[in-house]
Amino acid sequence: APAPASMGPAAALLQVLGLPEAPRSVPTHRPVPPVMWRLFRRRDPQEARVGRPLRPCHVEELGVAGNIVRHIPDSGLSSRPAQPARTSGLCPEWTVVFDLSNVEPTERPTRARLELRLEAESEDTGGWELSVALWADAEHPGPELLRVPAPPGVLLRADLLGTAVAANASVPCTVRLALSLHPGATAACGRLAEASLLLVTLDPRLCPLPRLRR
Amino acid sequence: HTEPRVEVGPVGTCRTRRLHVSFREVGWHRWVIAPRGFLANFCQGTCALPETLRGPGGPPALNHAVLRALMHAAAPTPGAGSPCCVPERLSPISVLFFDNSDNVVLRHYEDMVVDECGCR
């Protein structure tokens, strides 16, 4: 789309590239998650030449259509205490928040993978059961999305497409989830060490139409 | 980092020239994680006959370009010169970067690298 005439050349160029503004200097130099490096290297022309040709607008490693992949950290993780207050006899509950405001309205989600890692507070912890619900408010949790066994130290992955993030529609500005841990036989609790969302979207404006050779 | 530009004399036949885009030089290195740059390349050269009519292996020239080159050779007209040397085949790149919300984003961009030039 042509950029407005009032824009400077750099801003106009960035808009053509699908970036409304130049990202400022990086707020925190957080490490690049391994999955993002893997996806990037898969797309690297040097490595792509070795294997099969890559399909445009397709994320092979995740097996879905898409041309934008975002690794979105839980925006509440840094402000949350490492040992949250717990109600008597129960493990703590967490609210995780994912800021999706940078996603353009034209983008359609094709994968929304929640990634969580819980760490044990003591060595004899065998694991827990984790339930994930949409966050409604502090007193009235929303509907439960999933309930899964959660061993300590293992990266848990759950697809939220069709539940917390609607398919074939614009993504919401934020996704808020309530996590609660149900202790196993040892009754020892754990702490939430990592929470992120891997969001794959397809922006049809960036997908080329098949070209016909003359 | 481009090839040295030919300022005097014939530019040569239309073909792909090397152009390396460095994200540091354009000031994007603070938020672009990878790659640090890429070979974007560009097209430069004349599209006069017989170069406009490519042999086997090269991209086929547009009929319009051939006739325009013929017309230009036969009766040069000011303002309507020979065909233009432009990208014929391009390939994509992927860019890994931080956005303003500290998200790590991988974006796939089509048509970023000129692989082949032709006369149009």
Side-chain angles (χ1 to χ4, degrees):
Chain A
S6 58
M7 276 187 174
L13 176 61
L14 282 165
Q15 196 171 65
V16 171
L17 293 174
L19 300 166
E21 57 180 340
R24 298 178 297 271
S25 58
V26 183
T28 55
H29 286 277
R30 74 179 179 102
V32 177
V35 63
M36 296 303 284
W37 276 123
R38 272 203 309 276
L39 292 171
F40 173 75
R41 290 194 180 114
R42 185 79 188 247
R43 281 277 166 197
D44 187 73
Q46 295 299 322
E47 297 195 21
R49 280 193 193 108
V50 176
R52 289 179 304 166
L54 296 172
R55 282 185 283 173
C57 298
H58 199 86
V59 184
E60 264 78 6
E61 183 155 331
L62 301 173
V64 291
N67 45 22
I68 306 169
V69 186
R70 290 179 177 85
H71 187 274
I72 303 164
D74 166 27
S75 53
L77 195 63
S78 56
S79 59
R80 195 165 39 235
Q83 302 289 334
R86 67 184 67 173
T87 51
S88 59
L90 296 172
C91 285
E93 295 186 349
W94 301 279
T95 305
V96 292
V97 184
F98 300 110
D99 178 7
L100 310 183
S101 58
N102 283 338
V103 182
E104 294 281 314
T106 50
E107 295 178 36
R108 292 289 174 267
T110 57
R111 178 62 58 93
R113 193 168 81 182
L114 176 68
E115 297 188 338
L116 300 169
R117 194 164 51 82
L118 296 156
E119 298 266 328
E121 289 178 340
S122 58
E123 285 185 4
D124 60 343
T125 304
W128 314 272
E129 197 175 47
L130 175 76
S131 75
V132 180
L134 277 176
W135 191 89
D137 59 58
E139 288 164 9
H140 304 94
E144 187 176 75
L145 303 178
L146 59 117
R147 185 181 273 259
V148 288
V154 174
L155 191 67
L156 300 173
R157 290 171 174 155
D159 197 1
L160 299 181
L161 193 68
T163 52
V165 177
N168 298 319
S170 298
V171 300
C173 280
T174 53
V175 168
R176 238 172 240 269
L177 301 171
L179 312 179
S180 50
L181 208 57
H182 308 280
T186 58
C189 290
R191 68 179 183 87
L192 182 61
E194 194 181 323
S196 58
L197 185 71
L198 189 72
L199 182 71
V200 183
T201 59
L202 178 70
D203 188 339
R205 297 173 303 172
L206 302 177
C207 280
L209 293 168
R211 287 176 186 152
L212 299 173
R213 296 289 295 187
R214 292 176 65 246
Chain B
H1 305 284
T2 63
E3 286 181 7
R5 189 169 173 179
V6 181
E7 296 290 352
V8 181
V11 179
T13 309
C14 171
R15 65 175 175 87
T16 310
R17 317 284 164 142
R18 187 185 156 91
L19 168 66
H20 182 259
V21 171
S22 158
F23 288 130
R24 176 170 285 278
E25 283 184 40
V26 296
W28 293 3
H29 61 292
R30 290 189 188 280
W31 53 275
V32 173
I33 303 163
R36 291 184 179 172
F38 69 102
L39 267 180
N41 300 332
F42 68 104
C43 298
Q44 194 183 44
T46 54
C47 285
L49 289 171
E51 291 87 355
T52 306
L53 297 164
R54 292 285 180 88
L62 291 178
N63 294 336
H64 175 268
V66 174
L67 284 169
R68 192 172 162 187
L70 268 170
M71 191 67 193
H72 182 71
T77 311
S82 54
C84 299
C85 178
V86 293
E88 279 274 0
R89 191 166 59 83
L90 297 108
S91 55
I93 66 162
S94 292
V95 182
L96 194 63
F97 62 93
F98 286 107
D99 70 9
N100 273 331
S101 301
D102 208 14
N103 302 322
V104 176
V105 184
L106 177 65
R107 245 185 129 117
H108 189 64
Y109 289 106
E110 294 293 330
D111 299 339
M112 294 288 274
V113 177
V114 175
D115 294 324
E116 214 166 71
C117 297
C119 293
R120 285 183 168 243

